[in-house]
Amino acid sequence: GAVVSQHPSRVICKSGTSVKIECRSLDFQATTMFWYRQFPKQSLMLMATSNEGSKATYEQGVEKDKFLINHASLTLSTLTVTSAHPEDSSFYICSARGVDTDTQYFGPGTRLTVL
Amino acid sequence: TQLLEQSPQFLSIQEGENLTVYCNSSSVFSSLQWYRQEPGEGPVLLVTVVTGGEVKKLKRLTFQFGDARKDSSLHITAAQPGDTGLYLCAGRRTTSGSRLTFGEGTQLTVNP
């Protein structure tokens, strides 16, 4: 199956700093990438959908100025958590979908801890 | 209101038992996927079903898509401790474009 990577896998930062998470599709071109947030023992919550070369579409309740998404190429999307606070601590997962397919492949996730 | 109702939410069984997880909705889905997720990792795709009434088997796992494409089930035969994990169903509605809607998940624990 298709491979999606995320970097870093874990990050600990101080409150007020910004953190960037990268999501890469390694062996296919991802026209659409999705960013999710997941709390322990819960399902995935979609934060935003991004298409290569265009602005991301954010879900209701997700602050676009706080969670900056860039999808500059067909293999890379980034999520930047700006001015992070402890309540932003969570497991962030990206997924990618290629051309002419319904299947989404997920990255391994990034554990963000804000102190 | 959850678009995809998954049940049960938690399931703890002994090795060798059978189990079924259900995923129900009042909406029609063009496709439905089942994922398994282990702690600290991303979800791994198990199967995609697209045709009403479709049944797919993956070793001890049997997946079924309802005739009306509104529901699905996952049946595991002779569960093993390695089956432990969070099982997620996710569907793409005919009217929602690219968005994948997730169920709440079923946390399965198989005790040796």
Side-chain angles (χ1 to χ4, degrees), chain B residues 47-86:
Chain B
V47 76
T48 299
V49 286
V50 297
T51 305
E54 183 177 3
V55 177
K56 281 192 174 179
K57 292 194 174 186
L58 184 66
K59 296 184 180 178
R60 292 176 294 101
L61 278 61
T62 302
F63 304 86
Q64 186 163 5
F65 201 13
D67 291 340
R69 290 184 291 136
K70 293 183 179 181
D71 55 85
S72 180
S73 64
L74 157 61
H75 182 80
I76 301 180
T77 304
Q80 298 176 0
D83 295 327
T84 294
L86 179 67

Side-chain angles (χ1 to χ4, degrees), chain A residues 10-67:
Chain A
R10 290 177 178 269
V11 57
I12 301 173
C13 69
K14 292 183 179 179
S15 186
T17 59
S18 294
V19 175
K20 181 186 282 189
I21 302 170
E22 291 185 350
C23 177
R24 294 182 185 270
S25 57
L26 298 184
D27 53 359
F28 68 103
Q29 293 186 324
T31 51
T32 307
M33 285 187 169
F34 306 85
W35 287 95
Y36 295 84
R37 184 173 178 175
Q38 185 179 34
F39 292 103
K41 301 263 172 101
Q42 293 187 22
S43 188
L44 280 68
M45 183 190 79
L46 180 64
M47 299 174 64
T49 301
S50 72
N51 293 294
E52 184 264 339
S54 61
K55 289 184 179 179
T57 302
Y58 290 81
E59 294 300 301
Q60 192 173 7
V62 178
E63 299 176 56
K64 63 179 181 181
D65 294 329
K66 180 165 185 64
F67 298 99

